[in-house]
Amino acid sequence: MTLSLRLGRIAGVEIGLNWSWLVEEDGQAVGLLPFRPVAEMPRREWDDKHVRDCMVEQHQVPQLQQDEPAIDALGELGEATVSPRR
């Protein structure tokens, strides 16, 4: 799916630059699509890019547990260095 198609589906929704969307393949999580790098990309590139070209792969995303104390989770997220493909 190209970025134009994906973002066209969410048109009309106010989007924050720090939003991310789960990327799935065959029902399995494979990564996250952060909005900031997409927003910073020239619009003319959207038709040539696919979600996989801009996503953060699952192995780069910090894995948090739902029963983990929030303060510990914030520490893990603060130490994480992730970046989308370009």
Side-chain angles (χ1 to χ4, degrees):
M1 174 179 298
T2 66
L3 290 175
S4 286
L5 288 174
R6 177 67 180 139
L7 294 175
R9 291 185 180 177
I10 58 174
V13 175
E14 187 173 329
I15 299 171
L17 287 179
N18 293 320
W19 282 32
S20 294
W21 290 272
L22 181 65
V23 179
E24 295 182 341
E25 185 174 313
D26 298 324
Q28 298 293 317
V30 295
L32 292 174
L33 176 65
F35 185 66
R36 181 179 300 272
V38 174
E40 292 171 351
M41 180 186 308
R43 172 67 180 88
R44 66 183 176 278
E45 293 181 21
W46 285 10
D47 286 329
D48 297 324
K49 297 283 186 176
H50 289 84
V51 170
R52 71 177 165 267
D53 299 326
C54 304
M55 73 180 200
V56 175
E57 294 183 40
Q58 182 182 14
H59 69 274
Q60 292 181 281
V61 178
Q63 303 296 305
L64 305 174
Q65 303 301 316
Q66 64 182 11
D67 59 349
E68 185 173 358
I71 191 72
D72 294 343
L74 288 173
E76 287 180 52
L77 293 173
E79 294 173 6
T81 56
V82 298
S83 60
R85 298 179 186 184
R86 283 284 181 136

